[in-house]
Amino acid sequence: MNKILIIIQREFLSRVQKKTFLLSTILLPLFIFGFYALIIYFSVKSEDNLKIAIADQGQQISNKLQSDPSLNFIQVDQADAAALQQQLNEKKFDGYIIIPANYNAEKGDTLVYASNSNVGLMTKEKIERRINAAFEKNRLKNLLAPGVTLAQVDSAKSSVNLKVAKGGEKSGSTGFAYALGFICGILIYMVLFIYGSMVMRGVMEEKTNRIAEVMVSSVKPFQLMLGKIIGIGAVGLVQFLIWGVLIFALQALVPVFFPGAMEVAAQHSNDLPNMNGNTKQVEMIRQVMQNLNSVNIGLIVFCFFFYFLGGYLLYSSLFAAVGSAVNEDPQDAQSLMLPITMPIIFSFVIMTQAINKPDGALALFGSLFPLSSPIVMMARLPYGVPAWQLALSFVLLILGFIFTAWLAARIYRVGILMYGKKPTWKELWKWAFAKI
């Protein structure tokens, strides 16, 4: 046991004391923050602020189009396309639309937005929504009974926010559970790839440098493999905790550097259509806090670290076995990695199905099967998972790790001292089950 602790200490300290560890630990959150800040910056600065001339020859919708600073419709009396193009070239407006007098806006009818610059898809859809809404109001007005106004019809509209209460428990937002489940699943997916590959590279380096030969003269191959896996796992856990703290701290600074960020986010929220900017911000914050209270955050955090460690230990054992089998040729490692990486990729695919149908048969299988449960179960957790399924998933993951560690150790003890022979899966099978 002392030898394993010594190896863990060596693996941990040799990595955290490197400059690359410090740089990657600090620079990655800064990179994410910078990327996030750029998105917000361009969101704030790239508002269209278009001025669109409407030549409504039949006076059907010109006074019903909704204008705001980002999309300002102005009525013009000029209906000649050449004259409007001349004014467009003189930059009196950014574009113009001619609506013929007999235009009925039937399904399939089109209008032309003339402009001297390209128009993005979102802007095009925004203009279409405003025009369609104006025509709908026009038609609705003709259908109203005498004495009934459009304002009265608008006030009669309702906006029901449907929340799901599963088994009479506390209700929550499905959209919030979807987002939280996806984020947790994708984080575990990244962890398995990043730190599993780190274990494999570490084993390959020691083998090619012949350091492993010296070390196995003092410790058993299983102790060497286990110490390396736990040591690198500890590095990953510390790095992940630092990233989490830094990212949350930097995100708290976003409103300081970008005061209009919350307002922009509120304006783009489709769930809060009938509120002004400040009211939307308050309502968004209230909804976020309400959604956080609707999920068991403590359970999710505990399960995240459990599946983080469980998934890492399970897959890193297999990555270590592959690292011990290959020689200096990286092509050998890539061919042997494929059967290990495929379950991770399939887990991601199942996760995308699980967040849409969390109680489906595929989601249940994926959340119990040890090779996919670290990713799929994290995607299901925000929706609520029965206790027996969670307990069974824990047990199966632990058993899965024990089996893969046993299997990897038998391959590792032979492969770490095997040189000059290109490994195949047939060879690995012999090493795993040979009586030595």
Side-chain angles (χ1 to χ4, degrees), residues 40 44 254-255 258-267 281:
I40 295 174
V44 173
V254 169
F258 301 96
M262 289 295 295
E263 186 177 353
V264 171
Q267 288 175 355
Q281 291 180 39

Side-chain angles (χ1 to χ4, degrees), residues 53 57 85 117 224 325 347 369 416:
Q57 298 175 352
Q85 184 63 41
S117 58
L224 179 60
S347 301
F369 188 55
I416 199 68

Side-chain angles (χ1 to χ4, degrees), residues 9 34 405:
Q9 184 180 16

Side-chain angles (χ1 to χ4, degrees), residues 121-368:
L121 179 62
M122 293 181 65
T123 302
K124 173 178 169 293
E125 292 180 347
K126 198 173 177 181
I127 297 171
E128 287 176 344
R129 283 198 301 272
R130 300 282 177 90
I131 293 175
N132 286 327
F135 273 109
E136 286 173 8
K137 283 184 179 180
N138 211 25
R139 291 176 178 173
L140 187 60
K141 187 177 180 180
N142 296 329
L143 298 174
L144 293 178
V148 180
T149 63
L150 286 173
Q152 290 174 319
V153 174
D154 289 337
S155 65
K157 292 180 179 177
S158 62
S159 178
V160 177
N161 186 17
L162 185 65
K163 292 185 177 181
V164 179
K166 184 180 178 182
E169 297 179 354
K170 187 186 292 184
S171 62
S173 168
T174 303
F176 182 77
Y178 183 101
L180 186 59
F182 185 83
I183 291 172
C184 292
I186 198 72
L187 285 176
I188 297 289
Y189 173 82
M190 293 170 61
V191 163
L192 297 184
F193 264 118
I194 293 173
Y195 295 107
S197 301
M198 192 182 294
V199 170
M200 187 187 70
R201 287 197 305 272
V203 174
M204 288 175 63
E205 287 173 4
E206 287 187 351
K207 181 178 178 180
T208 53
N209 294 333
R210 305 280 176 155
I211 296 174
E213 292 181 22
V214 178
M215 296 185 73
V216 294
S217 64
S218 303
V219 298
K220 294 180 180 178
F222 177 74
Q223 292 175 323
L224 179 60
M225 185 192 77
L226 194 62
K228 181 175 286 295
I229 290 173
I230 296 175
I232 294 177
V235 173
L237 195 60
V238 170
Q239 196 171 37
F240 213 78
L241 289 172
I242 295 173
W243 282 344
V245 172
L246 285 177
I247 288 173
F248 277 110
L250 291 172
Q251 281 189 335
L253 297 176
V254 169
V256 178
F257 291 104
F258 301 96
M262 289 295 295
E263 186 177 353
V264 171
Q267 288 175 355
H268 286 80
S269 174
N270 294 325
D271 297 333
L272 310 170
N274 298 320
M275 301 177 184
N276 58 39
N278 293 331
T279 308
K280 280 186 174 181
Q281 291 180 39
V282 174
E283 183 62 19
M284 279 183 62
I285 295 172
R286 189 188 68 78
Q287 286 188 3
V288 170
M289 296 305 297
Q290 189 178 24
N291 290 328
L292 284 174
N293 291 329
S294 68
V295 297
N296 192 340
I297 291 295
L299 177 65
I300 290 176
V301 171
F302 170 77
C303 289
F304 179 82
F305 283 105
F306 179 84
Y307 284 110
F308 171 91
L309 293 174
Y312 164 76
L313 291 173
L314 188 147
Y315 276 101
S316 61
S317 301
L318 299 175
F319 276 111
V322 170
S324 69
V326 298
N327 297 302
E328 297 180 357
D329 189 359
Q331 297 293 332
D332 296 342
Q334 290 180 2
S335 61
L336 293 177
M337 278 177 60
L338 184 63
I340 302 175
T341 54
M342 288 306 291
I344 303 177
I345 296 171
F346 282 134
S347 301
F348 181 79
V349 175
I350 296 174
M351 182 199 76
T352 60
Q353 298 294 320
I355 54 179
N356 287 304
K357 196 175 182 182
D359 290 337
L362 184 62
L364 177 60
F365 168 78
S367 59
L368 296 180

Side-chain angles (χ1 to χ4, degrees), residues 401-418:
F401 162 64
I402 293 173
F403 174 74
T404 56
W406 171 83
L407 185 68
R410 294 184 67 85
I411 296 174
Y412 189 90
R413 63 178 178 169
V414 180
I416 199 68
L417 299 175
M418 186 70 72

